Amino acid sequence: MSAAPSAPVVIVPGARVAPDGTPMAYLRGRLDVAIELVEAGKAGQILLSGDAGGSSGDEIASMTRYLLDHGIDPAIVRSDGAGLSTRETCERAKSMFRVDRAIIVSQYQHLPRAVALCRAADIEAEGVVAYCDCRRVTEVRNNVREWLAAPKAVAEMILR
């Protein structure tokens, strides 16, 4: 973490939660890196963004519980339960939470798009790669998802 950038806020986009409400591998990796960034003094707040009532479960409740269980002070955790896409996460971070500079944490496949969308939302963003103790099929699925999502993100940034 010593080489990681510093920013006032670390943004953690949501991802699937298990049926029991715990974060699945992708989300755990993002949260673990956010914890490390805060503990290393690289960020002072964590903005959780995701679906608070979606089909994959309440991502915000799951993420909050995980952070608190890992010793994060609840006073530094902010939540956006309506960040339903990466674009919305970044735009809402700027408009609703007044984030001007942030670290966004995600897996390597998603990180370039996440950083670009935050920058398009006028956030001075740096990315930090999250861990993934994932099955191979999960990594392949998420690579394909990014290949399909990238052109849409480019179009959204151009048409903005």
Side-chain angles (χ1 to χ4, degrees), residues 55-85:
S55 60
S56 75
D58 187 339
E59 295 171 0
I60 298 299
S62 176
M63 291 190 283
T64 301
R65 197 168 36 253
Y66 188 89
L67 291 175
L68 300 183
D69 288 350
H70 287 81
I72 294 296
D73 179 355
I76 71 163
V77 178
R78 299 190 295 168
S79 301
D80 177 10
L84 306 181
S85 70

Side-chain angles (χ1 to χ4, degrees), residues 5-64:
S6 295
V9 179
V10 58
I11 299 172
V12 182
R16 289 188 60 181
V17 299
D20 67 357
T22 59
M24 293 183 75
Y26 251 56
L27 191 50
R28 273 194 318 274
R30 294 173 185 182
L31 293 165
D32 288 341
V33 170
I35 291 166
E36 289 178 20
L37 288 166
V38 167
E39 289 176 345
K42 300 290 185 171
Q45 294 183 338
I46 299 173
L47 175 58
L48 304 175
S49 184
D51 193 345
S55 60
S56 75
D58 187 339
E59 295 171 0
I60 298 299
S62 176
M63 291 190 283
T64 301

Side-chain angles (χ1 to χ4, degrees), residues 49-50 82-90 113 117 145 152 156:
S49 184
L84 306 181
S85 70
T86 306
R87 181 184 55 81
E88 289 173 324
T89 290
C90 296
R113 181 168 61 95
L117 287 167
R145 182 174 185 262
K152 178 183 173 193
E156 289 171 346

